[in-house]
Amino acid sequence: MSQAYKFCPRCATPLAMGAVDQGPPRLRCPDGACGFVHWDNPVPVVAAVVEHEGEVILARNRMWPPKMFALITGFLEKDDPDPASGVLREVEEELGLRGQVGGFIGHYPFERMNQIIIAYHVIAAGRIVLGEELVEFKKVPPEKLRPWPAATGLALRDWMLDRGLKPLPFENEALKAIYQFRVIDDKLGTAGQPTAEQIRVVRASGYQSVINLLPADSKWAVAEEAAAVAEQGLRYHHLPVVWEAPTAADFARFCELMEQEAGRRVFVHCAANKRVSAFVYLYRVLRLGVPREVAERDLQAVWQPDEVWSRFIAERLSA
């Protein structure tokens, strides 16, 4: 967790907020001769999806309430040669198990604790002996795991998807507040324009990439959306589609982006999910082979395309 500085640790002068190198405001020492800046950078934490005898170990920290279990985690230490070595050290310290890294899963922001989670799959063997920080553990078959929509839960979900498992969708209540939000399948969600705060919800709900079809000069567009998405650690693609004149090139580029993001959970939006629902309908029918009557249900649940978009859809289907 971020440390709350009030005084400069170098010269004891009270700290004040101020811009640094034309960047965002940070706590800094106002004494120009000192120059101390509290950067407040996230702390690196290693996390392990520990596979033991074919099951995954979840553990409860002694500071957590009953029935709250999560992955094995710990701070990356200065003596660790690299994060992979650090995660193996944590597994041995917390579970008494020797392990080997089965693969890197990914890195995940944990803003509430000002941490960056570096997650690995660890294959371990031996008898479990809990370290002093843990009070209990449970072993869960991979197919019965229930990931949670934040931090290490996102890593667990990605690990399951990489193994071909189908974790249950995260609760969509917060996502439903985004205008015209719809779940197409486990890896694709569509919607109208989310607010900057709702982009956090998109990330917390397990989406990994954002495709935006709304032109930047639209009155509905969110300023600096690319930065807001990047702040959440998501991939971002901006493909502005003119409402009155969608083109074959637009759709071709959309297909390229969808194929580029294959295997990841993708959130696609425009202003009111009209552009998106039309493009997604065509993509599912023409590229994925989904029957028209099935894909049409999601299209028509959003809108009945007007003359311009009906003509565009017909042209693409007959091309």
Side-chain angles (χ1 to χ4, degrees):
M1 185 178 294
S2 175
Q3 182 178 356
Y5 278 94
K6 293 184 178 180
F7 299 91
C8 177
R10 293 179 182 171
C11 66
T13 300
L15 295 178
M17 294 296 294
V20 179
D21 297 331
Q22 299 181 341
R26 299 184 185 275
L27 279 176
R28 59 179 300 175
C29 182
D31 185 345
C34 175
F36 172 80
V37 177
H38 177 40
W39 294 103
D40 200 22
N41 291 325
V43 176
V45 170
V46 290
V49 175
V50 180
E51 190 173 6
H52 182 254
E53 299 174 342
E55 297 181 306
V56 172
I57 299 174
L58 301 179
R60 183 168 75 87
N61 188 288
R62 65 175 59 255
M63 302 298 292
W64 297 349
K67 298 184 179 181
M68 181 177 177
F69 292 81
L71 303 184
I72 301 302
T73 60
F75 294 111
L76 184 64
E77 298 183 357
K78 69 175 184 178
D79 295 328
D80 291 326
D82 50 58
S85 300
V87 79
L88 294 178
R89 171 186 52 75
E90 282 294 333
V91 168
E92 185 169 6
E93 289 178 359
E94 302 299 338
L95 297 176
L97 300 176
R98 304 298 290 273
Q100 61 182 10
V101 171
F104 174 66
I105 301 173
H107 60 272
Y108 305 84
F110 189 16
E111 293 181 348
R112 182 171 63 82
M113 299 296 290
N114 194 30
Q115 296 172 352
I116 182 73
I117 307 295
I118 308 168
Y120 292 87
H121 171 211
V122 173
I123 303 168
R127 184 173 69 90
I128 298 174
V129 179
L130 295 182
E132 61 181 14
E133 295 181 5
L134 304 180
V135 291
E136 60 179 322
F137 73 92
K138 61 180 180 180
K139 296 174 65 175
V140 183
E143 66 276 8
K144 294 185 177 181
L145 290 164
R146 296 287 300 272
W148 45 99
T152 54
L154 302 178
L156 181 60
R157 182 182 183 85
D158 285 348
W159 178 78
M160 294 177 70
L161 291 171
D162 285 344
R163 289 172 64 96
L165 300 173
K166 296 184 177 180
L168 292 175
F170 294 130
E171 289 293 330
N172 289 326
E173 291 307 311
L175 284 170
K176 288 177 182 177
I178 301 175
Y179 184 62
Q180 289 281 33
F181 173 74
R182 292 191 62 78
V183 175
I184 303 302
D185 57 37
D186 189 56
K187 291 187 178 180
L188 178 60
T190 66
Q193 177 66 59
T195 65
E197 182 59 33
Q198 286 171 333
I199 291 173
R200 297 175 182 270
V201 173
V202 170
R203 177 66 179 91
S205 298
Y207 288 95
Q208 301 163 298
S209 304
V210 172
I211 300 176
N212 175 13
L213 303 189
L214 185 62
D217 60 359
S218 168
K219 67 178 181 179
W220 308 112
V222 169
E224 305 298 333
E225 178 174 330
V229 171
E231 184 179 357
Q232 299 305 310
L234 305 175
R235 290 183 185 173
Y236 182 70
H237 305 281
H238 189 201
L239 172 58
V241 176
V242 177
W243 172 249
E244 301 85 356
T247 68
D250 291 335
F251 178 64
R253 178 56 180 155
F254 177 75
C255 292
E256 291 175 1
L257 293 176
M258 291 295 292
E259 289 162 6
Q260 179 179 324
E261 297 298 323
R264 297 170 64 86
R265 298 194 75 218
V266 181
F267 178 87
V268 189
H269 82 83
C270 54
N273 205 354
K274 294 182 178 180
R275 295 172 177 85
V276 170
S277 59
F279 272 36
V280 167
Y281 165 76
L282 289 169
Y283 178 75
R284 295 173 75 197
V285 171
L286 297 176
R287 297 299 181 95
L288 301 183
V290 175
R292 290 191 186 184
E293 62 272 17
V294 174
E296 280 174 357
R297 294 173 196 156
D298 291 299
L299 171 63
Q300 294 176 357
V302 176
W303 71 315
Q304 185 65 45
D306 61 15
E307 182 180 353
V308 169
W309 282 88
S310 292
R311 183 170 61 251
F312 174 75
I313 290 171
E315 288 172 351
R316 300 280 64 73
L317 290 175
S318 61

